Amino acid sequence: MFIGEYRHNIDAKGRLSIPAKMRLECGEKVYVTRGNEGCLAVYTVEGWQTYYQSLMKLPKTKKKTRIFIRLVTSRATECEFDKLGRINIPQVLRNEGQLQKECVIVGAGDHIELWDSQMWDCFYDENMDQFDDISENIDDLD
């Protein structure tokens, strides 16, 4: 389970330190891919396998399904932790997530999200006022 919000800088080589509490849950490597709302999603090996299997169950006869699978998997990458607890995020994914310098590492339950700090702050501020309404109607979201 991944929870919490942490702020770390990504260096010029694309290395980002993942908080120790989260690293303990990750193992030796993670999978990074595009997420929703402009973030990057980070999965454990087991989490990636579960997510990938759910993608493979989608109906590939539908064009939007094929597009979605391509967009998720084409730039997904396996990242190993270095001795300092950092992962190296490829430039193409840094561009996808608009990661420049300050990043926000967000625990999202079954995965981690990586956000540009300004994008995260905007997303959080725009959605915080809806929290009570969303929680009250969460059963109706399906």
Side-chain angles (χ1 to χ4, degrees), residues 61-122:
T61 55
K62 294 188 177 189
K63 184 176 182 177
K64 287 189 178 189
T65 297
R66 294 189 306 271
I67 291 169
F68 181 75
I69 291 171
R70 286 181 193 127
L71 291 174
V72 169
T73 60
S74 63
R75 295 192 173 164
T77 189
E78 181 181 280
C79 296
E80 292 186 10
F81 287 96
D82 67 12
K83 292 178 183 177
L84 299 177
R86 302 174 300 187
I87 55 173
N88 191 325
I89 302 167
Q91 184 66 53
V92 69
L93 283 172
R94 282 183 275 160
N95 293 345
E96 291 276 342
Q98 299 180 37
L99 303 181
Q100 299 290 323
K101 185 167 178 149
E102 187 182 34
C103 298
V104 182
I105 303 156
V106 176
D110 67 344
H111 68 284
I112 299 167
E113 293 180 345
L114 307 178
W115 290 79
D116 168 77
S117 63
Q118 289 182 328
M119 287 179 60
W120 170 252
D121 292 340
C122 287

Side-chain angles (χ1 to χ4, degrees), residues 11-26:
D11 71 15
K13 294 181 180 179
R15 297 174 299 196
L16 179 65
S17 180
I18 302 299
K21 289 181 182 181
M22 291 181 168
R23 274 197 320 270
L24 290 173
E25 299 286 326
C26 290

Side-chain angles (χ1 to χ4, degrees), residues 21-54:
K21 289 181 182 181
M22 291 181 168
R23 274 197 320 270
L24 290 173
E25 299 286 326
C26 290
E28 294 180 11
K29 61 185 174 182
V30 292
Y31 287 84
V32 182
T33 190
R34 68 181 308 144
N36 294 311
E37 288 82 45
C39 72
L40 298 180
V42 180
Y43 293 93
T44 64
V45 172
E46 297 80 15
W48 174 252
Q49 290 170 348
T50 300
Y51 183 54
Y52 181 80
Q53 290 303 318
S54 70

